[in-house]
Amino acid sequence: MGGSVAKSPGALPEGPIGGVPPPGVPGPPAGWRERLLARIIDGAPFVVLYWILSFLFYAAFAPQDGDRLRDPRVLPGLFAGLIAFGAYTLYDYALHRRSGRTLGKKVMRIRVVPCGTAPQPGGLLKRAVLYPGVLLTVGIPVLNLPAAVFGFAMGLSILLDGPLLRGFHDRVAGTLVAKDLA
């Protein structure tokens, strides 16, 4: 009893062995599936906003009468990305600072909590800038690919952490995403 749960070979971890949270954490760490679904719920409106803004900005910046000085490929995507994903980064920071939960985390019944003795100064801001803040580079031609690789690595870092499932952004911030038992 109380031991670890048998898993199939290659199965991804869902939480700590035995489900025991680390000291000072109100619940067991959230699983990667819960975190992914929360990010999808949170990010979807901002992706839609990005598409809408991109469409509007492309229409506004499209060359008219052969005017090639205004390149319609760069500025619309840049402006749309800065507005939509800047808003997402602010949303992420503000809601985590207020209650430790975004709408997606509330739906998935998980929250961001300090991990260890005290959260890092400005930890939630660092967390938001690293992930999803990396999306601010959407629309910048030279930075698109490196930003996508960095964002993928941030998500992958959650899976590679072991029982606590803390991503790089969690480590920098001194936080952990835990199941919300309240």
Side-chain angles (χ1 to χ4, degrees):
M1 296 247 171
S4 63
V5 177
K7 290 188 173 194
S8 62
L12 296 173
E14 273 301 319
I17 297 172
V20 179
V25 175
W32 69 270
R33 289 178 185 95
E34 296 163 310
R35 293 182 69 168
L36 177 61
L37 287 173
R39 279 285 179 195
I40 290 170
I41 291 167
D42 288 333
F46 296 98
V47 170
V48 170
L49 176 61
Y50 172 74
W51 289 338
I52 291 169
L53 290 174
S54 291
F55 176 77
L56 294 174
F57 289 153
Y58 277 107
F61 286 105
Q64 298 170 2
D65 301 329
D67 182 9
R68 296 285 180 199
L69 295 177
R70 296 186 303 165
D71 186 352
R73 295 172 291 171
V74 177
L75 289 179
L78 175 64
F79 292 153
L82 288 174
I83 293 169
F85 298 123
Y88 183 23
T89 302
L90 290 174
Y91 159 85
D92 188 81
Y93 169 70
L95 268 65
H96 282 133
R97 184 164 186 227
R98 188 181 82 199
S99 65
R101 300 186 304 184
T102 58
L103 178 61
K105 284 184 176 66
K106 188 173 185 177
V107 169
M108 298 308 299
R109 301 188 67 215
I110 58 179
R111 76 173 50 239
V112 172
V113 296
C115 184
T117 56
Q120 299 294 321
L124 291 176
L125 183 58
K126 292 174 190 174
R127 187 180 194 280
V129 168
L130 284 172
Y131 199 64
V134 70
L135 293 173
L136 285 168
T137 61
V138 168
I140 302 173
V142 176
L143 296 179
N144 271 339
L145 181 60
V149 170
F150 182 75
F152 178 76
M154 295 290 277
L156 188 61
S157 70
I158 294 167
L159 298 175
L160 299 176
D161 184 54
L164 296 181
L165 301 177
R166 291 176 71 202
F168 178 70
H169 57 296
D170 292 312
R171 290 187 176 283
V172 167
T175 59
L176 169 81
V177 180
K179 294 185 187 243
D180 191 4
L181 303 176

